[in-house]
Amino acid sequence: MSRAASTSGSSVATRLAAFVLERHPFALASVLTALDSAGQAIGDSESSIDAVRRKFAHDLEARLRTNGTAAGIANTTPGSSAPRRFDAAVEEVVRACDGFLRRAAIRASLSPDERREILRGMLLTRAVDNRLKTFFTSGEVRFGDAPFQGKGFRSLGQEAIYAAAIRLRRGETFRDEDEGEWRGDIVAPLIRDLGVALAMKPDGETVRLVLSAQMGKAGPPMNGKDLHIGDLSNGILPAAAPLAVSTLNAAGMAMAFAREGSGRVALSFIGEGGSSLGEWHEAINLCAARRLT
């Protein structure tokens, strides 16, 4: 199989080549050669992609190591030898490519019903978000006779986060009505992650909870004490303004799930701002040390 064939016959291979060209351009030749030597073309199905992944990653790493060496080169930075830096660079490329292929496999595995739900969920998220904006621009949110000059937490541009929850254990099946306990998975959204909160229970009641929270109303979900949504009876942890607090809570719950052996998932969300905070690093270190991922 020629290098041209390895990318012309598969949209996945073509996208992988474009991904590498953008992120790791000097590794492109090794990636294309490794694709050729994988023994079969990458198809567009989950099974086809996963069948190629392991052999491709092994061959790519071998080729990257063959194509260069760091022996005899001075330390790149104090305390970091040239061979160690070279190994880290090779690992970065291999993991990036393998991650791309795994994401492509997940994308290929989505059923038509799941794809339709994601689209409906994104539309619902945008519609609720637009209504929240109207609350604050029209003066509908009031304290006495004065309009509330607070801030609506927009999720504009983040609607696709709805997809993060579609395969979690969610819905009425996982609520113990007798004991009032939630037995499903947990999400810990940030203040702009409206989509994933709606995904855990995509119905009118959840929309009402979101609008009530943003208007500071008494009653569920926050009894007027906060503008965020939180609904533990459906697996939604309340968002927190100190961004990394949600990750710490999710890490603690993940450790509890691991000790129970329940197989439940605690899913945290973070961005560049939150990942710069010490609490986030504490949570990630805990998860790594306890092997919670």
Side-chain angles (χ1 to χ4, degrees):
M1 187 190 305
S2 66
R3 290 186 181 181
S6 68
T7 57
S8 62
S10 166
S11 62
V12 175
T14 301
R15 297 200 307 272
L16 173 60
F19 170 79
V20 173
L21 185 59
E22 179 183 13
R23 296 281 300 277
H24 307 284
F26 295 111
L28 180 61
S30 296
V31 169
L32 294 178
T33 304
L35 281 175
D36 288 344
S37 65
Q40 64 185 91
I42 302 181
D44 291 323
S45 67
E46 180 186 20
S47 58
S48 173
I49 297 169
D50 280 337
V52 172
R53 274 180 61 210
R54 179 169 296 182
K55 188 176 187 309
F56 166 75
H58 182 271
D59 188 72
L60 175 59
E61 181 176 358
R63 291 182 182 279
L64 290 172
R65 294 190 183 282
T66 301
N67 292 342
T69 178
I73 300 177
N75 288 359
T76 55
T77 55
S80 180
S81 66
R84 181 179 178 185
R85 181 66 187 88
F86 181 79
D87 289 344
V90 169
E91 182 180 4
E92 180 182 1
V93 174
V94 174
R95 286 192 174 187
C97 292
D98 186 66
F100 177 93
L101 292 177
R102 183 57 193 139
R103 291 191 296 274
I106 294 172
R107 173 181 175 180
S109 75
L110 291 171
S111 69
D113 285 342
E114 287 175 326
R115 292 172 184 268
R116 282 189 287 269
E117 183 187 351
I118 291 172
L119 179 58
R120 286 195 299 269
M122 292 173 64
L123 292 172
L124 175 62
T125 302
R126 175 64 67 86
V128 175
D129 187 85
N130 286 339
R131 188 66 183 95
L132 292 173
K133 179 182 178 180
T134 303
F135 276 157
F136 287 90
T137 57
S138 65
E140 290 183 57
V141 181
R142 308 180 69 84
F143 180 77
D145 295 330
F148 177 62
Q149 299 298 318
K151 179 180 181 181
F153 298 106
R154 303 296 308 279
S155 58
L156 188 68
Q158 296 183 196
E159 294 85 358
I161 201 171
Y162 185 100
I166 63 169
R167 289 181 176 174
L168 295 180
R169 282 167 284 193
R170 57 191 174 127
E172 298 298 324
T173 304
F174 299 100
R175 186 185 300 105
D176 188 328
E177 295 293 352
D178 294 332
E179 299 182 10
E181 293 187 12
W182 173 251
R183 300 294 185 183
D185 295 328
I186 297 289
V187 296
L190 297 180
I191 59 177
R192 304 187 191 282
D193 296 334
L194 170 63
V196 74
L198 293 173
M200 292 300 288
K201 191 173 183 290
D203 60 18
E205 181 183 352
T206 307
V207 173
R208 183 189 63 78
L209 289 176
V210 172
L211 301 182
S212 294
Q214 287 283 285
M215 295 187 74
K217 285 191 172 183
M222 306 303 292
N223 199 32
K225 297 179 180 179
D226 203 340
L227 303 181
H228 306 314
I229 181 175
D231 185 8
L232 281 175
S233 66
N234 285 291
I236 308 167
L237 290 179
L243 299 177
V245 169
S246 295
T247 304
L248 278 172
N249 290 334
M253 300 185 82
M255 185 163 67
F257 296 159
R259 289 181 172 180
E260 293 173 346
S262 62
R264 296 169 68 185
V265 172
L267 186 59
S268 173
F269 300 84
I270 204 71
E272 291 182 358
S275 62
S276 67
L277 300 176
E279 295 93 335
W280 183 82
H281 290 274
E282 292 172 7
I284 294 304
N285 285 338
L286 172 66
C287 292
R290 299 289 182 174
R291 300 184 182 278
L292 301 178
T293 57

